[in-house]
Amino acid sequence: MLNSLRKVASTIALGIALSGAGLVTLAPLSGCSSSSQSASDSSLALTISSASLTMNQSSTSASISATLARGAANQSSVTLSVSGLPSGVTANITSPAYGNYGSLTLTTGSNVTAGTYALTVTASDGAHNAAQALSLTVYPASAVTITPSSTSLTLYQQTATSIPFTITRSTGNTNSVSVSAAGAPTNFGVAFSQPGGGNAGVVSLTAGSSTAVPTPGTYTITLTATDGTVSSTANITVLVGVAITVANSTNTAQGISGKLQEFMSTGFQPQLYTNSFFVSAPSTASLSALGGQHLRLQPTHYDLPWVANSSPAAASDWSFTLMDQTVQPVLSVGDNSPIFQIAQAPNFLDDANGNFIFNTTNLALFAQYAANLVRYYNKGGFDAGGKHFQSTSSHPITWWAIYNEPNLHSMTTAQYVQLYNTLVPAMQAVDPTLKFIALELSGYSGQAQLWMPSLVATSGLTAQVDAFATHYYPTCKQTDTDSTLFTKVSTFVTDMTYIRTQLKGATRFANTPVWVTENNVNSDYQLTGNISSCNGGTFVSDARGSSGFFTAWRPLIFSQLGKAGNQSLYHFLFNGSNQYGEVNNDSGASKLLSYWTDYELAHLFPWDGTAATGGTILTTTTSEITPTVEPLIVRNADGSYTVMVTDYAVASTTDDNGSGAARTVKLDLTALGSFTSGTRVDLNSATSLTAGPTSTSFTPTATMTLNFTGYGTTFLTLKP
């Protein structure tokens, strides 16, 4: 039988045992099998009963068995060896010799370092070697190890979860084990079902409550298990996300009785440094594609057509050449119905600071100027100094705004009321079909409260008003932080609410809309000598006007002002610098990120200006207490839904044109039912300036996850 066993391969099952101090004897299971082998086969193969051993420090032992498979001709004596032993571990080896079975017993000493070691067990007959890898893990003499069932998860604010964990103990350790946690953020709860003398427990994680939640982000929570003598740790990575739930109900407290009736548009400021834009870049394709309504014209300074008041009048007193380099192309675009803001009086009626010299004579001349503008664009022109002046366009100008930011031009509320009530009738006498915009207030804090009561009073504006307008800029300082600029949005909303409340309180203005006809991130501009108009120092352009910051800024403003009842939002300038423009003010007219941001808002939330249209604003709830993610969800007339989610979280309170903080958002649309198709547009700093954002199709689900790497906005269009 012995010779027979040498000629065939035999196998043996695993056997491992541990003892407190001595060798553990393993009883291998015997068996035999036969196969047809070559009489000259002298091969050698090795198997071991386990590929890993776990031991404690301080004189514990563990054994494995070794089984050989020999070729028919291999009758050599075989020895076993082990390599890779750490210091403090000894090996007792029983070699197979002329048989097929052996064993290896490892014994730890008190000086062995706890850890995992890679060993190699080798069988050799002098001519052939066979080897197997053996992993040895040595635990401290009194070890406990904690292993959670999950080491990575996403937990949304105001939700909770539980994670079971197991405790592995060294042999003979029956001590009571307790588990604690470190690294959880503020307002994040961690509780335990302790293992005690057992080997299992549960950690419960709670991401805040309805009154306090952790800041969204990724956190490492370290669990520590200890029996009072030894301990071990395990990490759980928790991503805290934002949860937004959409209800199938109209939020009648927002917008105009629950409707989003807010259109996007843009503006031009014809003056010396912008006159040549359409001359060098005559195409209006990009402007037309932008989709703005009632494009705004704000001629100032040297572009004003009434340049002198000669007596008698001279033909050289008037020149529309410079102004019309911008006005005529704009009249040919879109709805062919721009707003012409009579931003200031002719220069000869102003003082050295550009402020209107207010007296009866000048007021009459100002009204004459306004009436001639209407004649020029709408009624076949006028004659002066023996010359006829008439617009070349067949499109009249219906919308007119009266004066620019009177609160910044040393004008009192009483003077503005008198100015408005004088100019409007003079213009209506020429063309009674005109529409008028009042105020155009520089909307810094507290100005609406100073101006609106006088304007809506019975003794205030008595001439026709078709819209009230205000301007919103959060700063004139490039050094103000991102956080400061985002925080200012709430003051805009407060002012908008105040203005609308004042209008509703005056019967004749109860249904008069409010428009924001200027908006951007920074109102500072460059004076002669590269001087800042804001602080008198060196002017520094604010790149946030067209950076990744803007892809969060403008959608946030659009959403919050629209919800507050604003009905138009104008980018200050179409052509300008990276602070002001949507396209560069150069011959290439290359698009900026601000262009694509406004493009998406105009096309995804269209409104034609009529009371019957506009998407229905749906009620949303968010898990955030201090919002950093803005949702806007509307139901469109065709039954589809437009979803906008904006991440405006700052990474650091000191960031100035930073990249923003990452957010993971769970969007629960269950209440809206099922959808057949959807498209998605992501707008952020990675958006192509040449091609714009990419629209991709996807299959919507009731719950969707949106991942933001920083500032940006995701738009979804969902069709039921």
Side-chain angles (χ1 to χ4, degrees):
M1 181 65 174
L2 178 60
N3 289 335
S4 175
L5 289 173
R6 290 176 179 172
K7 294 179 181 178
V8 296
S10 301
T11 58
I12 188 165
L14 166 67
I16 302 176
L18 302 176
S19 68
L23 172 66
V24 176
T25 303
L26 294 168
L29 301 174
S30 61
C32 61
S33 63
S34 62
S35 62
S36 176
Q37 293 180 322
S38 169
S40 62
D41 183 4
S42 60
S43 62
L44 182 66
L46 171 68
T47 59
I48 55 177
S49 56
S50 177
S52 63
L53 288 177
T54 300
M55 305 173 67
N56 297 332
Q57 294 171 324
S58 302
S59 301
T60 57
S61 298
S63 299
I64 61 169
S65 60
T67 302
L68 302 179
R70 301 170 180 263
N74 190 334
Q75 300 184 30
S76 302
S77 178
V78 177
T79 59
L80 292 179
S81 62
V82 60
S83 60
L85 289 173
S87 177
V89 176
T90 59
N92 185 10
I93 300 173
T94 300
S95 294
Y98 294 100
N100 288 325
Y101 307 109
S103 64
L104 169 66
T105 301
L106 302 182
T107 303
T108 60
S110 60
N111 61 334
V112 66
T113 301
T116 299
Y117 303 93
L119 312 183
T120 302
V121 179
T122 303
S124 176
D125 63 3
H128 305 89
N129 293 323
Q132 292 288 341
L134 175 64
S135 176
L136 171 64
T137 300
V138 179
Y139 288 110
S142 180
V144 293
T145 302
I146 182 170
T147 305
S149 62
S150 176
T151 58
S152 179
L153 71 148
T154 298
L155 189 61
Y156 294 95
Q157 293 169 325
Q158 300 189 40
T159 64
T161 192
S162 295
I163 300 175
F165 59 83
T166 57
I167 300 295
T168 302
R169 304 166 178 268
S170 56
T171 303
N173 185 334
T174 60
N175 297 335
S176 178
V177 174
S178 62
V179 181
S180 60
T186 303
N187 300 324
F188 190 99
V190 183
F192 294 95
S193 172
Q194 296 288 355
N199 295 324
V202 177
V203 56
S204 298
L205 307 176
T206 304
S209 65
S210 61
T211 58
V213 293
T215 300
T218 301
Y219 303 92
T220 299
I221 298 177
T222 300
L223 306 182
T224 300
T226 181
D227 66 356
T229 301
V230 293
S231 62
S232 70
T233 62
N235 291 332
I236 300 177
T237 301
V238 179
L239 191 159
V240 177
V242 177
I244 295 172
T245 302
V246 182
N248 191 14
S249 61
T250 302
N251 192 333
T252 56
Q254 293 182 341
I256 307 300
S257 300
K259 285 190 173 183
L260 182 70
Q261 295 182 334
E262 180 182 37
F263 65 81
M264 281 298 305
S265 196
T266 190
F268 292 83
Q269 190 179 66
Q271 59 173 308
L272 285 178
Y273 73 93
T274 60
N275 281 333
S276 62
F277 176 71
F278 284 112
V279 176
S280 58
S283 173
T284 58
S286 293
L287 177 60
S288 180
L290 189 58
Q293 299 181 49
H294 300 309
L295 302 175
R296 182 173 181 257
L297 294 161
Q298 186 191 52
T300 62
H301 304 300
Y302 299 105
D303 270 27
L304 300 182
W306 197 8
V307 296
N309 186 27
S310 302
S311 182
S316 58
D317 287 353
W318 289 83
S319 176
F320 287 84
T321 301
L322 293 178
M323 188 170 74
D324 271 352
Q325 288 178 342
T326 301
V327 175
Q328 295 300 327
V330 169
L331 277 168
S332 70
V333 173
D335 58 11
N336 310 118
S337 179
I339 296 170
F340 190 113
Q341 187 201 49
I342 305 177
Q344 63 181 97
N347 292 309
F348 59 81
L349 298 179
D350 287 350
D351 63 21
N353 295 317
N355 299 321
F356 179 56
I357 301 172
F358 208 98
N359 57 50
T360 303
T361 299
N362 286 352
L363 193 58
L365 289 171
F366 199 174
Q368 178 185 339
Y369 167 68
N372 276 343
L373 290 176
V374 178
R375 291 186 181 98
Y376 178 82
Y377 286 108
N378 293 16
K379 292 298 178 179
F382 66 94
D383 295 324
K387 183 177 180 179
H388 187 70
F389 297 90
Q390 180 178 347
S391 170
T392 59
S393 174
S394 61
H395 300 294
I397 297 178
T398 301
W399 283 90
W400 298 81
I402 307 303
Y403 213 70
N404 182 61
E405 299 180 342
N407 55 327
L408 292 186
H409 289 90
S410 300
M411 190 174 289
T412 66
T413 55
Q415 288 174 331
Y416 180 76
V417 167
Q418 186 180 0
L419 175 70
Y420 189 93
N421 288 340
T422 300
L423 265 63
V424 168
M427 299 168 72
Q428 286 178 312
V430 178
D431 186 350
T433 68
L434 302 183
K435 295 181 180 296
F436 297 95
I437 301 172
L439 193 54
E440 295 263 8
L441 189 70
S442 176
Y444 57 91
S445 181
Q447 291 301 295
Q449 290 75 7
L450 291 175
W451 280 76
M452 287 303 298
S454 297
L455 271 58
V456 302
T458 304
S459 59
L461 299 179
T462 56
Q464 176 181 326
V465 180
D466 297 285
F468 280 82
T470 187
H471 304 164
Y472 287 138
Y473 297 86
T475 187
C476 66
K477 300 176 182 178
Q478 188 275 329
T479 54
D480 276 351
T481 64
D482 294 356
S483 181
T484 298
L485 270 59
F486 283 128
T487 301
K488 288 291 184 67
V489 176
S490 63
T491 67
F492 301 162
V493 172
T494 299
D495 276 358
M496 178 60 60
T497 302
Y498 177 82
I499 293 171
R500 294 193 69 232
T501 300
Q502 288 287 303
L503 295 178
K504 290 178 181 177
T507 302
R508 68 189 189 281
F509 296 133
N511 296 312
T512 305
V514 184
W515 292 1
V516 176
T517 49
E518 285 187 24
N519 174 239
N520 213 319
V521 300
N522 194 318
S523 62
D524 196 15
Y525 57 92
Q526 183 179 4
L527 300 175
T528 302
N530 197 36
I531 301 300
S532 164
S533 67
C534 176
N535 55 46
T538 301
F539 173 78
V540 178
S541 182
D542 197 331
R544 289 174 292 192
S546 55
S547 70
F549 173 89
F550 195 87
T551 66
W553 162 259
R554 176 54 56 74
L556 175 66
I557 289 279
F558 180 86
S559 176
Q560 294 208 357
L561 286 181
K563 291 174 182 176
N566 178 52
Q567 294 193 260
S568 76
L569 184 61
Y570 280 73
H571 193 83
F572 174 46
L573 290 179
F574 177 72
N575 57 308
S577 67
N578 64 346
Q579 174 175 313
Y580 280 121
E582 292 168 316
V583 301
N584 280 304
N585 189 38
D586 55 28
S587 60
S590 54
K591 298 180 181 70
L592 300 168
L593 199 48
S594 48
Y595 177 93
W596 294 113
T597 303
D598 293 344
Y599 178 96
E600 295 299 334
L601 291 171
H603 288 77
L604 292 174
F605 296 99
W607 180 51
D608 63 8
T610 63
T613 60
T616 300
I617 303 173
L618 299 186
T619 301
T620 59
T621 56
T622 176
S623 62
E624 291 189 288
I625 306 300
T626 301
T628 62
V629 174
E630 173 76 7
L632 173 62
I633 293 88
V634 303
R635 181 189 291 113
N636 302 309
D638 63 358
S640 66
Y641 298 88
T642 303
V643 176
M644 182 176 78
V645 179
T646 298
D647 173 9
Y648 64 101
V650 298
S652 169
T653 55
T654 61
D655 279 352
D656 183 337
N657 198 27
S659 58
R663 288 291 183 266
T664 294
V665 179
K666 181 179 72 172
L667 190 61
D668 188 346
L669 303 167
T670 305
L672 305 184
S674 58
F675 307 101
T676 59
S677 63
T679 57
R680 173 172 176 162
V681 173
D682 292 305
L683 190 67
N684 50 50
S685 61
T687 298
S688 167
L689 298 184
T690 303
T694 301
S695 178
T696 58
S697 299
F698 72 102
T699 302
T701 55
T703 301
M704 289 180 279
T705 301
L706 306 177
N707 293 305
F708 297 89
T709 59
Y711 296 143
T713 297
T714 292
F715 300 93
L716 306 176
T717 301
L718 308 174
K719 294 186 177 181

